[in-house]
Amino acid sequence: SAVISQKPSRDICQRGTSLTIQCQVDSQVTMMFWYRQQPGQSLTLIATANQGSEATYESGFVIDKFPISRPNLTFSTLTVSNMSPEDSSIYLCSVRQGNGYTFGSGTRLTVV
Amino acid sequence: GDSVTQMEGPVTLSEEAFLTINCTYTATGYPSLFWYVQYPGEGLQLLLKATKADDKGSNKGFEATYRKETTSFHLEKGSVQVSDSAVYFCALSEGRSGGGADGLTFGKGTHLIIQP
């Protein structure tokens, strides 16, 4: 299965600033996904990123707040913009291969 | 929309006890079903999966059977170990075609604690 490198692994950021999270996959994949896991909660899909097209966002998530880039078939970034303490979460990228999904190790974001 | 409901914890068991974590789902089509595990301080790992009705996924002594008639995918293990202590997530994927999101819908997770 694919190996995903995600960075940074954690960060502490000031409110009002932005953080860009990177996700690198060791093989070419069509679809990449971004999730949020709020403290003590389950994972929620933010958006699906396809190479060469705009990301598709789930209800409750908008491009202005979570812009996504997908420049090629092995890389994607998620930016958390104009952060507030409510954005403190673990953010994970994921890829689909065959019938399964592989996840990155996550980025633990704390907004102060 | 799709949803997954699983029993919430924490669930505390003694070592060698029998484990069942219930999971039921609602979906418009014929989803694939998954159990993921998150060990303390680690990332999310696929535990097992099933892609069609009556399929049984199994791994590391854990089993789950895709029951379409009851829309369930309960996780079971005959004899748990302390090392099984983790958070377990039930999830589904609709695998919609024609564009649009195709990610996973997760349950809220069940925190399992196994005591020696």
Side-chain angles (χ1 to χ4, degrees):
Chain A
S1 60
V3 175
I4 302 174
S5 299
Q6 185 174 340
K7 58 182 181 183
S9 59
R10 59 179 64 229
D11 207 341
I12 301 173
C13 300
Q14 297 291 322
R15 67 178 67 200
T17 63
S18 298
L19 175 72
T20 295
I21 301 167
Q22 299 180 3
C23 187
Q24 178 76 52
V25 189
D26 69 345
S27 57
Q28 294 185 339
V29 292
T30 303
M31 305 181 83
M32 295 180 74
F33 306 91
W34 287 97
Y35 292 84
R36 180 176 70 183
Q37 185 177 21
Q38 294 177 299
Q41 302 297 314
S42 185
L43 286 82
T44 302
L45 181 64
I46 296 172
T48 302
N50 292 329
Q51 193 267 336
S53 64
E54 289 221 352
T56 303
Y57 288 82
E58 294 298 299
S59 176
F61 297 96
V62 295
I63 189 171
D64 290 346
K65 176 68 176 176
F66 299 101
I68 288 171
S69 77
R70 183 81 202 274
N72 57 54
L73 290 172
T74 64
F75 187 78
S76 178
T77 67
L78 169 76
T79 299
V80 186
S81 303
N82 188 25
M83 288 184 286
S84 66
E86 291 71 36
D87 294 321
S88 298
S89 296
I90 298 173
Y91 293 85
L92 300 101
C93 65
S94 174
V95 301
R96 177 174 179 141
Q97 285 189 311
N99 287 327
Y101 296 80
T102 302
F103 286 81
S105 55
T107 297
R108 183 180 294 272
L109 170 63
T110 302
V111 184
V112 297
Chain B
D2 299 343
S3 68
V4 176
T5 302
Q6 64 180 105
M7 57 192 295
E8 297 186 34
V11 173
T12 303
L13 296 173
S14 298
E15 203 166 24
E16 299 184 2
F18 184 86
L19 168 71
T20 299
I21 301 178
N22 290 335
C23 173
T24 57
Y25 67 90
T26 59
T28 54
Y30 300 93
S32 295
L33 302 174
F34 305 82
W35 277 100
Y36 280 84
V37 59
Q38 193 171 37
Y39 296 104
E42 298 187 17
L44 208 60
Q45 301 175 26
L46 177 65
L47 181 60
L48 53 84
K49 65 185 180 187
T51 58
K52 61 183 187 296
D54 300 325
D55 269 2
K56 177 186 285 188
S58 61
N59 186 24
K60 299 181 181 179
F62 290 90
E63 293 183 341
T65 300
Y66 189 143
R67 299 289 187 198
K68 185 171 181 291
E69 63 276 15
T70 55
T71 61
S72 64
F73 193 54
H74 305 321
L75 182 68
E76 296 181 335
K77 185 173 185 182
S79 176
V80 292
Q81 306 299 313
V82 172
S83 58
D84 293 326
S85 298
V87 181
Y88 292 80
F89 293 95
C90 185
L92 70 81
S93 170
E94 280 268 31
R96 287 164 282 180
S97 60
D102 188 30
L104 289 166
T105 299
F106 283 87
K108 292 188 175 183
T110 301
H111 186 194
L112 176 65
I113 301 169
I114 307 300
Q115 296 179 332

